[in-house]
Amino acid sequence: MIDLGRYTGTVLAAYGVSVVLLAGLIWHSIAANTRARRNLEKHRNDA
Amino acid sequence: MSIWEYANPAKFMRTTDKVLPWLVVSATICVLGGIVWGFLTPDDYRQGSTVKIMFLHVPAALMAINIWVMMLVTSLVWIIRRHHVSALAAKAAAPIGAVMTLIALITGAIWGQPMWGTWWEWDPRLTSFLILFLFYVGYIALWSAIEDPDSAADLTGVVCLVGSVFALLSRYAVLFWNQGLHQGASLSVQSGERMSAVYRYPLYLSMIGFALLFLALVVIRTRTEIRKRRLAALQAQEARA
Protein backbone atom coordinates (compact mmCIF):
# COMPACT_ATOMS: atom_id res chain seq x y z
CA MET A 1 0.00 0.00 0.00
CA ILE A 2 1.31 3.45 -0.91
CA ASP A 3 2.04 5.64 2.09
CA LEU A 4 0.70 9.15 1.44
CA GLY A 5 1.87 10.41 4.81
CA ARG A 6 0.05 13.29 6.45
CA TYR A 7 -1.61 14.30 3.17
CA THR A 8 -3.53 11.02 2.72
CA GLY A 9 -6.94 12.71 3.06
CA THR A 10 -5.96 15.56 0.74
CA VAL A 11 -4.70 13.32 -2.09
CA LEU A 12 -7.54 10.80 -1.81
CA ALA A 13 -10.15 13.59 -1.74
CA ALA A 14 -8.69 15.12 -4.94
CA TYR A 15 -8.61 11.75 -6.72
CA GLY A 16 -12.06 10.77 -5.39
CA VAL A 17 -13.79 13.96 -6.52
CA SER A 18 -12.11 13.84 -9.94
CA VAL A 19 -12.96 10.18 -10.55
CA VAL A 20 -16.60 10.74 -9.52
CA LEU A 21 -16.94 13.81 -11.79
CA LEU A 22 -15.28 12.07 -14.76
CA ALA A 23 -17.34 8.89 -14.27
CA GLY A 24 -20.53 10.98 -14.07
CA LEU A 25 -19.63 12.82 -17.28
CA ILE A 26 -18.85 9.57 -19.13
CA TRP A 27 -22.04 7.89 -17.86
CA HIS A 28 -24.18 10.91 -18.83
CA SER A 29 -22.63 11.07 -22.33
CA ILE A 30 -23.16 7.35 -23.02
CA ALA A 31 -26.69 7.27 -21.51
CA ALA A 32 -27.82 10.32 -23.53
CA ASN A 33 -26.37 8.83 -26.73
CA THR A 34 -28.07 5.47 -26.16
CA ARG A 35 -31.39 7.23 -25.45
CA ALA A 36 -31.12 9.40 -28.58
CA ARG A 37 -30.26 6.40 -30.79
CA ARG A 38 -33.12 4.33 -29.35
CA ASN A 39 -35.65 7.17 -29.81
CA LEU A 40 -34.59 7.69 -33.45
CA GLU A 41 -34.73 3.96 -34.23
CA LYS A 42 -38.15 3.66 -32.55
CA HIS A 43 -39.46 6.58 -34.58
CA ARG A 44 -38.14 5.07 -37.83
CA ASN A 45 -39.66 1.67 -37.00
CA ASP A 46 -43.03 3.22 -36.12
CA ALA A 47 -43.12 5.27 -39.33
CA MET B 1 -10.93 16.06 -49.92
CA SER B 2 -11.94 19.07 -47.86
CA ILE B 3 -12.45 19.41 -44.10
CA TRP B 4 -15.87 20.93 -44.84
CA GLU B 5 -17.11 17.50 -45.99
CA TYR B 6 -17.33 16.61 -42.29
CA ALA B 7 -19.87 19.40 -41.84
CA ASN B 8 -22.28 17.00 -43.51
CA PRO B 9 -23.98 15.14 -40.60
CA ALA B 10 -24.19 11.83 -42.54
CA LYS B 11 -20.48 11.98 -43.42
CA PHE B 12 -19.65 12.93 -39.81
CA MET B 13 -21.64 9.94 -38.46
CA ARG B 14 -20.01 7.51 -40.91
CA THR B 15 -16.48 8.71 -40.19
CA THR B 16 -16.86 8.84 -36.41
CA ASP B 17 -18.41 5.35 -36.46
CA LYS B 18 -14.99 4.06 -37.54
CA VAL B 19 -12.83 6.40 -35.43
CA LEU B 20 -14.75 6.27 -32.13
CA PRO B 21 -13.72 2.76 -30.93
CA TRP B 22 -10.03 3.66 -31.41
CA LEU B 23 -10.50 6.95 -29.58
CA VAL B 24 -12.27 5.26 -26.65
CA VAL B 25 -9.59 2.56 -26.30
CA SER B 26 -6.64 4.99 -26.53
CA ALA B 27 -8.32 7.50 -24.16
CA THR B 28 -8.97 4.76 -21.58
CA ILE B 29 -5.38 3.48 -21.75
CA CYS B 30 -3.81 6.95 -21.53
CA VAL B 31 -6.10 8.36 -18.80
CA LEU B 32 -5.80 5.28 -16.58
CA GLY B 33 -2.08 4.96 -17.34
CA GLY B 34 -1.39 8.64 -16.62
CA ILE B 35 -3.42 8.76 -13.39
CA VAL B 36 -2.08 5.45 -12.00
CA TRP B 37 1.51 6.30 -13.00
CA GLY B 38 1.08 9.75 -11.44
CA PHE B 39 -0.29 8.22 -8.25
CA LEU B 40 2.77 5.97 -8.01
CA THR B 41 5.34 8.80 -8.36
CA PRO B 42 7.56 9.53 -5.33
CA ASP B 43 6.74 12.36 -2.93
CA ASP B 44 8.10 15.82 -3.72
CA TYR B 45 10.65 17.11 -1.19
CA ARG B 46 8.57 20.22 -0.47
CA GLN B 47 4.98 19.32 -1.37
CA GLY B 48 5.05 15.74 -0.12
CA SER B 49 2.42 13.42 -1.60
CA THR B 50 0.18 16.36 -2.66
CA VAL B 51 2.30 16.53 -5.84
CA LYS B 52 0.20 13.59 -7.07
CA ILE B 53 -2.76 15.98 -7.43
CA MET B 54 -0.87 17.60 -10.34
CA PHE B 55 -1.70 14.64 -12.63
CA LEU B 56 -5.39 15.55 -12.42
CA HIS B 57 -5.25 19.29 -11.82
CA VAL B 58 -2.92 20.31 -14.66
CA PRO B 59 -4.56 18.22 -17.47
CA ALA B 60 -8.05 19.29 -16.33
CA ALA B 61 -7.05 22.97 -16.28
CA LEU B 62 -5.36 22.64 -19.67
CA MET B 63 -8.48 21.06 -21.16
CA ALA B 64 -10.79 23.63 -19.52
CA ILE B 65 -9.07 26.42 -21.47
CA ASN B 66 -8.53 24.50 -24.72
CA ILE B 67 -12.13 23.25 -24.85
CA TRP B 68 -13.32 26.85 -24.72
CA VAL B 69 -10.91 27.71 -27.57
CA MET B 70 -12.30 24.74 -29.55
CA MET B 71 -15.84 26.03 -28.85
CA LEU B 72 -14.76 29.47 -30.05
CA VAL B 73 -13.43 28.04 -33.33
CA THR B 74 -16.52 25.89 -33.98
CA SER B 75 -18.82 28.79 -33.03
CA LEU B 76 -17.00 31.03 -35.51
CA VAL B 77 -17.37 28.33 -38.18
CA TRP B 78 -21.12 28.34 -37.44
CA ILE B 79 -21.39 32.13 -37.49
CA ILE B 80 -19.39 32.49 -40.72
CA ARG B 81 -20.26 29.34 -42.70
CA ARG B 82 -23.52 28.14 -41.04
CA HIS B 83 -22.41 24.49 -40.69
CA HIS B 84 -24.77 22.83 -38.22
CA VAL B 85 -22.32 20.12 -37.11
CA SER B 86 -19.88 22.78 -35.87
CA ALA B 87 -22.59 24.47 -33.76
CA LEU B 88 -23.59 21.07 -32.36
CA ALA B 89 -19.94 20.23 -31.61
CA ALA B 90 -19.62 23.46 -29.60
CA LYS B 91 -22.82 22.61 -27.71
CA ALA B 92 -21.54 19.05 -27.10
CA ALA B 93 -18.18 20.29 -25.80
CA ALA B 94 -19.55 22.72 -23.19
CA PRO B 95 -20.52 20.19 -20.43
CA ILE B 96 -17.14 18.48 -20.82
CA GLY B 97 -15.40 21.84 -20.45
CA ALA B 98 -17.54 22.69 -17.41
CA VAL B 99 -16.59 19.41 -15.71
CA MET B 100 -12.89 19.93 -16.53
CA THR B 101 -13.03 23.47 -15.07
CA LEU B 102 -14.80 22.14 -11.96
CA ILE B 103 -12.15 19.42 -11.51
CA ALA B 104 -9.39 22.04 -11.87
CA LEU B 105 -11.10 24.34 -9.34
CA ILE B 106 -11.83 21.61 -6.76
CA THR B 107 -8.47 19.84 -6.99
CA GLY B 108 -6.79 23.27 -6.90
CA ALA B 109 -8.65 24.18 -3.70
CA ILE B 110 -7.84 20.79 -2.11
CA TRP B 111 -4.18 21.19 -3.11
CA GLY B 112 -4.07 24.85 -2.08
CA GLN B 113 -5.29 24.27 1.49
CA PRO B 114 -2.16 22.48 2.79
CA MET B 115 0.28 24.32 0.46
CA TRP B 116 -0.99 27.93 0.67
CA GLY B 117 -2.94 27.62 3.93
CA THR B 118 -6.19 28.53 2.20
CA TRP B 119 -8.82 26.82 0.06
CA TRP B 120 -9.39 29.91 -2.04
CA GLU B 121 -7.72 33.20 -2.84
CA TRP B 122 -8.97 35.94 -5.18
CA ASP B 123 -5.83 35.42 -7.22
CA PRO B 124 -5.95 36.46 -10.91
CA ARG B 125 -5.72 32.91 -12.26
CA LEU B 126 -8.17 31.42 -9.77
CA THR B 127 -10.66 34.23 -10.26
CA SER B 128 -10.51 34.10 -14.06
CA PHE B 129 -10.97 30.31 -13.84
CA LEU B 130 -14.06 30.75 -11.66
CA ILE B 131 -15.44 33.25 -14.20
CA LEU B 132 -14.65 30.76 -16.99
CA PHE B 133 -16.69 28.12 -15.11
CA LEU B 134 -19.60 30.58 -14.80
CA PHE B 135 -19.34 31.24 -18.55
CA TYR B 136 -19.58 27.48 -19.19
CA VAL B 137 -22.70 27.28 -16.98
CA GLY B 138 -24.21 30.33 -18.70
CA TYR B 139 -23.42 28.91 -22.14
CA ILE B 140 -25.14 25.57 -21.31
CA ALA B 141 -28.12 27.40 -19.76
CA LEU B 142 -28.52 29.62 -22.85
CA TRP B 143 -28.62 26.57 -25.17
CA SER B 144 -31.43 25.06 -23.07
CA ALA B 145 -33.32 28.35 -22.72
CA ILE B 146 -33.77 29.08 -26.45
CA GLU B 147 -36.13 26.87 -28.43
CA ASP B 148 -34.97 27.72 -31.96
CA PRO B 149 -31.64 25.88 -32.40
CA ASP B 150 -30.25 28.35 -34.97
CA SER B 151 -30.93 31.36 -32.71
CA ALA B 152 -29.44 29.43 -29.77
CA ALA B 153 -26.32 28.71 -31.83
CA ASP B 154 -26.04 32.41 -32.81
CA LEU B 155 -26.40 33.72 -29.26
CA THR B 156 -24.17 31.10 -27.65
CA GLY B 157 -21.58 31.92 -30.33
CA VAL B 158 -21.53 35.51 -29.06
CA VAL B 159 -21.23 34.26 -25.43
CA CYS B 160 -18.33 32.09 -26.55
CA LEU B 161 -16.61 35.09 -28.12
CA VAL B 162 -16.93 37.15 -24.91
CA GLY B 163 -15.92 34.23 -22.66
CA SER B 164 -12.74 33.73 -24.67
CA VAL B 165 -11.29 36.78 -22.90
CA PHE B 166 -11.49 34.88 -19.59
CA ALA B 167 -10.28 31.62 -21.12
CA LEU B 168 -7.14 33.38 -22.35
CA LEU B 169 -6.87 35.43 -19.16
CA SER B 170 -6.88 32.26 -17.04
CA ARG B 171 -4.00 30.97 -19.18
CA TYR B 172 -1.87 34.11 -19.20
CA ALA B 173 -2.97 35.90 -15.98
CA VAL B 174 0.13 34.77 -14.07
CA LEU B 175 2.41 36.33 -16.70
CA PHE B 176 1.19 39.90 -16.33
CA TRP B 177 -0.27 39.88 -12.79
CA ASN B 178 2.49 39.07 -10.37
CA GLN B 179 0.53 39.45 -7.17
CA GLY B 180 -1.15 36.04 -7.43
CA LEU B 181 -0.50 32.98 -5.28
CA HIS B 182 -0.66 30.61 -8.23
CA GLN B 183 2.64 29.53 -9.74
CA GLY B 184 3.57 29.97 -13.40
CA ALA B 185 3.27 27.33 -16.10
CA SER B 186 4.14 23.78 -14.92
CA LEU B 187 5.65 22.91 -18.29
CA SER B 188 7.38 25.17 -20.77
CA VAL B 189 8.92 24.75 -24.19
CA GLN B 190 11.50 27.41 -23.30
CA SER B 191 14.80 26.37 -21.80
CA GLY B 192 15.43 26.85 -18.08
CA GLU B 193 14.31 25.08 -14.94
CA ARG B 194 12.48 21.90 -15.91
CA MET B 195 10.29 19.53 -14.00
CA SER B 196 11.96 16.24 -13.11
CA ALA B 197 11.38 13.44 -15.64
CA VAL B 198 9.86 11.37 -12.81
CA TYR B 199 6.89 13.76 -12.84
CA ARG B 200 7.10 15.05 -16.41
CA TYR B 201 6.41 11.80 -18.29
CA PRO B 202 3.34 10.68 -16.31
CA LEU B 203 2.07 14.26 -16.62
CA TYR B 204 2.49 14.14 -20.42
CA LEU B 205 0.61 10.82 -20.52
CA SER B 206 -2.18 12.20 -18.35
CA MET B 207 -2.45 15.32 -20.56
CA ILE B 208 -2.65 13.17 -23.70
CA GLY B 209 -5.24 10.98 -21.95
CA PHE B 210 -7.44 13.95 -21.00
CA ALA B 211 -7.21 15.31 -24.57
CA LEU B 212 -8.20 11.91 -26.03
CA LEU B 213 -10.99 11.57 -23.46
CA PHE B 214 -12.30 14.95 -24.54
CA LEU B 215 -12.18 13.95 -28.21
CA ALA B 216 -14.01 10.67 -27.51
CA LEU B 217 -16.68 12.40 -25.41
CA VAL B 218 -17.18 15.31 -27.81
CA VAL B 219 -17.67 12.85 -30.69
CA ILE B 220 -20.20 10.82 -28.66
CA ARG B 221 -22.08 13.96 -27.57
CA THR B 222 -22.05 15.49 -31.08
CA ARG B 223 -23.52 12.24 -32.44
CA THR B 224 -26.20 12.48 -29.74
CA GLU B 225 -27.03 16.05 -30.79
CA ILE B 226 -27.18 15.05 -34.47
CA ARG B 227 -29.61 12.20 -33.65
CA LYS B 228 -31.78 14.50 -31.55
CA ARG B 229 -31.83 17.08 -34.37
CA ARG B 230 -32.70 14.37 -36.91
CA LEU B 231 -35.59 13.11 -34.75
CA ALA B 232 -36.91 16.66 -34.28
CA ALA B 233 -36.72 17.24 -38.06
CA LEU B 234 -38.62 13.99 -38.78
CA GLN B 235 -41.29 14.86 -36.21
CA ALA B 236 -41.67 18.38 -37.65
CA GLN B 237 -41.92 16.92 -41.18
CA GLU B 238 -44.72 14.55 -40.08
CA ALA B 239 -46.54 17.32 -38.24
CA ARG B 240 -46.58 19.41 -41.44
CA ALA B 241 -47.79 16.49 -43.61
Side-chain angles (χ1 to χ4, degrees):
Chain A
M1 186 64 192
I2 304 156
D3 180 22
L4 298 171
R6 62 192 175 115
Y7 299 120
T8 303
T10 303
V11 176
L12 292 183
Y15 272 75
V17 170
S18 305
V19 168
V20 167
L21 284 171
L22 285 176
L25 176 68
I26 293 165
W27 175 81
H28 181 266
S29 305
I30 294 171
N33 189 48
T34 309
R35 206 166 39 242
R37 192 179 58 218
R38 204 182 297 139
N39 288 344
L40 188 58
E41 278 169 7
K42 187 174 177 294
H43 188 271
R44 279 176 175 154
N45 291 338
D46 291 349
Chain B
M1 196 182 76
S2 154
I3 192 172
W4 302 115
E5 279 181 32
Y6 296 95
N8 177 325
K11 170 85 176 168
F12 179 86
M13 293 297 269
R14 273 198 308 275
T15 310
T16 53
D17 233 359
K18 292 176 202 149
V19 174
L20 193 56
W22 295 100
L23 264 180
V24 170
V25 170
S26 49
T28 308
I29 292 169
C30 291
V31 168
L32 288 178
I35 289 176
V36 171
W37 191 4
F39 196 80
L40 296 174
T41 52
D43 290 358
D44 178 65
Y45 79 102
R46 271 202 310 210
Q47 302 191 47
S49 59
T50 62
V51 73
K52 297 175 199 297
I53 299 173
M54 176 175 69
F55 305 101
L56 293 163
H57 178 75
V58 173
L62 183 82
M63 289 317 297
I65 299 168
N66 287 333
I67 290 171
W68 193 275
V69 173
M70 171 265 178
M71 285 163 58
L72 172 67
V73 172
T74 48
S75 296
L76 286 174
V77 169
W78 160 255
I79 290 167
I80 297 163
R81 298 192 66 135
R82 312 306 279 182
H83 288 313
H84 285 93
V85 173
S86 62
L88 294 178
K91 183 186 180 186
I96 311 168
V99 170
M100 293 294 176
T101 316
L102 197 57
I103 290 174
L105 284 169
I106 294 173
T107 53
I110 294 171
W111 198 359
Q113 210 287 325
M115 291 302 110
W116 297 339
T118 179
W119 298 94
W120 182 262
E121 182 66 40
W122 294 101
D123 159 289
R125 184 173 263 191
L126 272 64
T127 309
S128 53
F129 238 86
L130 179 64
I131 297 171
L132 179 64
F133 176 67
L134 297 176
F135 261 97
Y136 270 119
V137 174
Y139 181 93
I140 295 164
L142 194 57
W143 260 109
S144 354
I146 300 167
E147 211 168 309
D148 177 48
D150 286 2
S151 308
D154 286 339
L155 290 172
T156 52
V158 175
V159 170
C160 205
L161 218 66
V162 178
S164 301
V165 175
F166 292 95
L168 294 175
L169 204 62
S170 56
R171 170 71 184 82
Y172 296 107
V174 281
L175 299 181
F176 49 81
W177 267 321
N178 282 331
Q179 73 270 33
L181 267 178
H182 201 287
Q183 66 177 70
S186 301
L187 295 167
S188 173
V189 286
Q190 291 157 352
S191 59
E193 194 181 329
R194 295 194 76 184
M195 186 188 291
S196 161
V198 174
Y199 300 117
R200 203 167 64 240
Y201 293 124
L203 183 58
Y204 284 152
L205 186 62
S206 194
M207 284 158 69
I208 293 167
F210 271 62
L212 289 169
L213 177 67
F214 163 66
L215 283 176
L217 288 176
V218 84
V219 165
I220 292 171
R221 298 182 78 97
T222 307
R223 288 166 65 89
T224 307
E225 293 300 329
I226 289 172
R227 285 183 170 127
K228 280 188 193 166
R229 188 70 71 93
R230 181 80 192 127
L231 181 61
L234 287 171
Q235 284 169 339
Q237 209 173 33
E238 282 167 14
R240 278 196 303 271

